[in-house]
Amino acid sequence: AVKASGRNGIQVWSEALERSSPAIIQIETGLHKAIARNELILHYQPQVDMASGRIVGVEALMRWQREGRLVPPGEFIPVAEESGLIVPMGEWAIEEACRAGRRWLDAGMEPVPIAVNIASQHMQHANLSSVVQGALTRERLRPELLELELTETGFMKEIAASLTQLNALRSQGIEVAIDDFGTGYSSLAYLTRLPLSKLKIDRSFVDSLDKKNEDRAVVTAIIALARSLKLRVVAEGVETRAQMEALMAHGCTIMQGYLLSKPLPEAQVLELLERQKNFGAEPRWQAMRAC
Ligand code: C2E
Ligand code: MG
Ligand code: MG
Ligand code: MG
């Protein structure tokens, strides 16, 4: 792991070693140039409301086109966070997501909100809300079409600093989702006071929905919590029919996962949106609901 928590001596020591390793330095140097060279791209994973079989949002997931290979975020986001590059990269992602939103509207699609992942470090950056505002204004997008995803752990770590920013964003009309929910240590008292719009149930809980009883209890508790706080709830990492059915049975209908679709290049998302506009719900998803 590149990002050591530094809770003990051994971890700090290995972090220092890793930071100066040639591989890490190479990634960092490459990332510096990646934005200017247009090597970063966004893929989009549909979020489907199984009650209607329609796409109700997409999550933008970053990839790095590096020397003919598509590098997944797990290999470069930790380095970007370590080096602070995550801030300009996050700004690029916000701007690119807004440009995509504009392209899709111009292509005649129905409006679909795009969610962008924001690192906790970026959440405390003073410029965030003006970058968001600038991108929305430039692309003439309503703020509801941009959503920010913050991981629960990252957010709770710096709650005070994040809170001011969160309030600013919400007053601009931006939707805010808590990502990987259930893995952190949210204070429930805080949750009721935060201007949030959505909880995303972490994949690890969804994954064991058809296996472990304790985790099933966590999922049902999160769904009930979201409902009582009047937040929307999305299940991430839905891979099987059994998981989908269990989620439906507990009242969570919005799902994201390989069962429905992997993250897709822009052209393929556009095809899905186009079909949805012309023919309604995707037949494959319709069929899943019917059984
Ligand atoms: P995340 O925000 O929780 O995104 C969901 C991840 O789960 C994505 O991985 C997605 O491809 C994967 N996933 C979705 N459905 C399934 C499924 O059914 N099964 C399995 N096994 N995986 C599924 P990805 O794209 O590799 O991204 C990993 C993480 O990297 C993201 O987790 C997010 O924390 C971070 N990340 C991605 N893009 C960005 C970005 O633009 N900025 C920042 N700060 N972080 C990003
Ligand atoms: Mg996310
Ligand atoms: Mg997530
Ligand atoms: Mg996750």
Side-chain angles (χ1 to χ4, degrees), residues 47-57 110 276-277 279-282 285 289:
Q47 298 175 335
V48 180
D49 185 356
M50 293 309 287
S52 63
R54 296 176 71 89
I55 299 171
V56 292
E110 291 155 0
Q276 173 164 298
K277 183 185 150 206
F279 308 111
E282 189 69 20
W285 301 335
R289 299 164 52 222

Side-chain angles (χ1 to χ4, degrees), residues 130-190:
S130 63
V131 166
V132 163
Q133 197 51 59
L136 291 170
T137 308
R138 217 163 25 249
E139 304 304 333
R140 293 166 290 121
L141 286 187
R142 285 188 283 120
E144 305 82 52
L145 293 182
L146 182 68
E147 184 176 272
L148 302 183
E149 290 192 4
L150 318 169
T151 60
E152 187 191 11
T153 356
F155 183 72
M156 292 301 154
K157 213 167 54 192
E158 301 291 347
I159 187 94
S162 301
L163 196 54
T164 317
Q165 186 83 266
L166 193 57
N167 284 318
L169 289 163
R170 281 302 283 162
S171 68
Q172 288 173 253
I174 308 295
E175 308 271 298
V176 177
I178 297 290
D179 206 351
D180 304 343
F181 191 77
T183 59
Y185 303 91
S186 292
S187 145
L188 295 184
Y190 250 126

